Amino acid sequence: MRKGEYLGNFELMSLLALMRLGHDAYGVTIATELEQQTGREVVIASVYATLERLQERGLVSSSLGEATPERGGRAKRYFRITGAGLREVREARRSLMNLWKGLPDLKGEKA
Amino acid sequence: MTARRPPAIATWIWKHFGCGPNQEAVLGDLAEEYLRKGSRMWYWRQVLKAIPVSVFKEVRSHKRIAARAMLIGWAIWTIFAVMNNPLFFASFFRGNMAGVEIQPRHPVGIWAFLVWVQVALPFLIKMLIGWIVARVDVGIDPTKSLGPKLNVRFHRDLVLLFAASVLLLNILVVGLLLSVADARGYPLIRPLAANAAVSVFAVLLGGSLRRSKNEESSVD
């Protein structure tokens, strides 16, 4: 059995958003992606808090981007998933798929 | 072209109470999204939710320092609360000033004494506690601290955490009073609420006296 912390729900969703966005993943685009896919409002600071935590665990890397006038001259911080992050996502997917297997369809939708 | 500026007060609040290494990037993102959405309500909601999120994240990353700050703050608070208790004063005067006439001739004297003991001194002590809590991380090398690198503004998180605990304790006291007291206890609620607000303000004011070198140059 693997040691270490499990990915939280929001952590996993943030990593998936990074994978979907590729090179254009920064606070606004990540929050928008999460909002579009989940239908819930996302607090931008909580995206940063989550990604900073994932960065401390080596699952995400970040770099400063360009500053634009509409941002008040403040630079964007771009995030990218690392190799370790990808492995963690794969592992989470495998675990979740195993847990879903054999369960009856949830009411109102097909599995 | 006139660019719409985000609510200035909300921005000020985030600059002064927000934490974390990406505080500026968050502000940039908020400004960018505000231009697209144009909703002041959205901006305020984001800032007010962001502050506890960022404080909690920083505190979680440095639990030991946060625990030390809380312990020191509440130890001083408790000692002062015991010493400032009227029963303690009475026993002190009985034991040390036996036979001394302590009733002043001029009523102004006793009022000045009461204002000092009940208002000014507690306020100054709470400010001092805020200042001490903000200095708990002084001397810790940011690069050598346990866990992730210590943020230069971490002392703000400590002060906010302590102020939140003071507020929580006061809310618990008022809640307890409301649940056990009958109508006779209700007049106490207003002074207790005022005391809570003043206590939190004093702690924040004391904590704000410490500013890091980086802040002096980066915060407007």
Side-chain angles (χ1 to χ4, degrees):
Chain A
M1 186 151 216
R2 277 167 32 82
K3 283 184 176 178
E5 286 179 54
Y6 283 108
L7 282 177
N9 198 21
F10 196 71
E11 288 175 335
L12 181 57
M13 289 198 295
S14 302
L15 287 175
L16 292 171
L18 290 192
M19 290 167 70
R20 293 170 70 95
L21 290 164
H23 293 287
D24 192 33
Y26 69 100
V28 171
T29 55
I30 299 165
T32 307
E33 180 69 17
L34 289 170
E35 280 177 355
Q36 281 173 357
Q37 302 306 328
T38 63
R40 297 181 191 176
E41 185 175 282
V42 172
V43 177
I44 290 176
S46 65
V47 171
Y48 277 93
T50 304
L51 292 174
E52 283 162 17
R53 204 164 49 237
L54 293 172
Q55 193 168 3
E56 286 158 13
R57 287 170 61 185
L59 307 182
V60 160
S61 64
S62 74
S63 57
L64 276 180
E66 73 276 20
T68 56
E70 67 266 22
R71 296 175 58 83
R74 296 178 185 96
K76 293 175 182 175
R77 180 162 287 278
Y78 287 102
F79 291 92
R80 292 197 71 177
I81 189 164
T82 62
L86 270 174
R87 278 195 296 279
E88 202 70 34
V89 170
R90 268 193 223 115
E91 185 63 29
R93 184 173 184 267
R94 195 186 59 77
S95 306
L96 288 171
M97 295 286 272
N98 284 342
L99 284 164
W100 276 114
K101 256 183 228 165
L103 281 179
D105 290 352
L106 295 177
K107 196 177 173 184
E109 70 171 14
K110 287 183 179 176
Chain B
M1 187 183 124
T2 54
R4 276 193 301 175
R5 294 189 65 188
I9 297 173
T11 304
W12 184 89
I13 289 174
W14 175 246
K15 275 184 179 176
H16 287 79
F17 296 103
C19 315
N22 289 311
Q23 203 186 9
E24 281 293 302
V26 172
L27 262 186
D29 286 348
L30 289 177
E32 188 182 326
E33 265 302 80
Y34 177 73
L35 273 185
R36 197 172 66 85
K37 292 186 189 273
S39 163
R40 297 174 73 85
M41 277 286 280
W42 174 85
Y43 194 92
W44 270 101
R45 216 166 41 239
Q46 286 279 330
V47 167
L48 294 180
K49 284 181 181 174
I51 291 167
V53 165
S54 64
V55 171
F56 183 70
K57 190 259 161 192
E58 288 296 304
V59 166
R60 210 171 100 152
S61 299
H62 304 283
K63 292 187 197 89
R64 282 188 187 187
I65 304 171
R68 196 194 303 170
M70 293 291 282
L71 208 66
I72 291 172
W74 278 111
I76 303 170
W77 191 288
T78 308
I79 292 167
F80 174 70
V82 169
M83 288 178 69
N84 199 36
N85 190 301
L87 293 174
F88 180 87
F89 262 102
S91 63
F92 178 82
F93 280 122
R94 266 202 303 275
N96 296 280
M97 302 181 77
V100 176
E101 181 67 54
I102 60 166
Q103 282 184 343
R105 290 184 181 182
H106 305 291
V108 175
I110 194 73
W111 279 111
F113 178 75
L114 283 174
V115 166
W116 168 249
V117 169
Q118 294 300 323
V119 182
L121 188 62
F123 190 84
L124 288 174
I125 295 286
K126 286 163 190 172
M127 263 184 76
L128 178 71
I129 293 171
W131 183 78
I132 291 170
V133 165
R135 298 188 68 80
V136 165
D137 67 337
V138 169
I140 298 173
D141 186 342
T143 55
K144 289 177 183 169
S145 65
L146 289 172
K149 191 181 164 191
L150 201 61
N151 191 326
V152 289
R153 294 176 174 184
F154 185 56
H155 61 275
R156 287 181 180 187
D157 306 324
L158 297 176
V159 175
L160 281 174
L161 181 72
F162 188 75
S165 73
V166 169
L167 187 65
L168 187 68
L169 184 80
N170 279 280
I171 289 170
L172 285 174
V173 168
V174 172
L176 196 69
L177 190 72
L178 279 173
S179 64
V180 298
D182 52 18
R184 283 175 300 175
Y186 293 166
L188 284 173
I189 291 167
R190 197 172 287 179
L192 279 173
N195 179 53
V198 171
S199 298
V200 169
F201 177 69
V203 168
L204 291 177
L205 191 65
S208 71
L209 293 178
R210 185 196 158 191
R211 301 185 84 194
S212 63
K213 283 176 187 170
N214 290 22
E215 267 179 276
E216 281 159 13
S217 57
S218 65
V219 174
D220 296 343

